[in-house]
Amino acid sequence: MDTIINALTQIDAVVWGPAMICLLLGSHIFLTIRTGFIQRKLPTAIKMSLAKDEDAEGDVSQFGALVTALAGTIGTGSIVGVATAIIAGGPGAVFWMWLTGVFGIATKYCEVFASVKYRVKDHKGEMLGGAMYAWERAFKRSDDSVPWWAKLGAVAFAAFAVIATIGTGSAVQVTSMTGIITSSIPGIPNWAVGIAIVVLVGIVIFGGVQSISHVCEK
């Protein structure tokens, strides 16, 4: 176990080292300039997200898409991560996170734009999209063939997304919820809370993207 922990610590130091900071911040600044400072359109984006457009193409409303995206963003990273950064770097860390976040708007805009541009419809007429489809469709050649490295990027993203969802998403959040519930209501076993969470989440997820969106809206 100690060997595994040491290996993960070394990998973490490389992944979240200066190279990653330069890559992320560099991408933010580059895309900000390339999009003509898209951050100036933030008020318009908020207005469009809160409005209803009955003729808009998609499976969920603009507001539903907004709250669903926020549900997958706010939490382990933006709350726990910020608190951890303040403990490690002091109050000054807030300023740098705020500054990086402002420039990061351009990166998020490009991600969403690519997802919408390269999304497809399945046999039921429902929308399918995400980085996997952007990787595969954006680099398609004139003869409709897809380079091997584009396919590899799509598969790698999907695989890493699953790992991240289980590790930093489900495991951390369910453990926190279980700890709070069992400490507040003594006598409830951990496994019972886990099963209840699995059942409730399963009902929402298997209902499809519209079910997820409706729950997030509420």
Side-chain angles (χ1 to χ4, degrees):
M1 179 61 71
D2 291 338
T3 303
I4 296 176
I5 293 176
N6 292 333
L8 291 175
T9 301
Q10 293 177 2
I11 294 174
D12 182 75
V14 174
V15 172
W16 295 107
M20 178 62 73
I21 295 175
C22 293
L23 179 61
L24 288 176
L25 189 57
S27 299
H28 296 341
I29 296 175
F30 170 77
L31 293 175
T32 295
I33 298 173
R34 196 76 174 82
T35 57
F37 290 87
I38 194 64
Q39 290 86 342
R40 58 192 171 84
K41 297 290 187 178
L42 182 59
T44 303
I46 295 175
K47 181 180 178 181
M48 293 176 65
S49 298
L50 298 178
K52 285 187 177 182
D53 185 0
E54 302 298 338
D55 298 327
E57 186 178 11
D59 296 330
V60 298
S61 65
Q62 293 94 317
F63 180 70
L66 172 64
V67 293
T68 302
L70 290 177
T73 303
I74 299 174
T76 305
S78 58
I79 296 178
V80 178
V82 170
T84 304
I86 293 175
I87 293 175
V94 176
F95 170 77
W96 293 108
M97 285 186 288
W98 172 80
L99 188 63
T100 303
V102 171
F103 284 103
I105 291 175
T107 302
K108 176 58 68 175
Y109 167 80
C110 293
E111 290 177 353
V112 175
F113 180 86
S115 296
V116 173
K117 181 177 180 180
Y118 297 110
R119 64 184 178 178
V120 298
K121 288 185 178 181
D122 63 5
H123 63 283
K124 297 181 180 179
E126 297 179 349
M127 293 293 183
L128 298 175
M132 302 79 66
Y133 291 91
W135 265 104
E136 184 173 358
R137 301 187 68 207
F139 301 104
K140 185 177 294 185
R141 300 189 181 102
S142 57
D143 59 353
D144 287 338
S145 63
V146 180
W148 66 268
W149 48 266
K151 293 183 179 180
L152 177 61
V155 173
F157 178 88
F160 287 132
V162 171
I163 296 173
T165 300
I166 296 174
T168 62
S170 303
V172 175
Q173 295 174 4
V174 172
T175 300
S176 300
M177 293 170 62
T178 302
I180 294 173
I181 294 173
T182 54
S183 62
S184 301
I185 309 177
I188 298 182
N190 292 337
W191 60 265
V193 179
I195 291 177
I197 293 175
V198 168
V199 172
L200 293 174
V201 173
I203 293 174
V204 176
I205 291 179
F206 288 117
V209 66
Q210 293 185 353
S211 173
I212 298 173
S213 173
H214 291 329
V215 171
C216 291
E217 286 180 351
K218 298 300 186 296

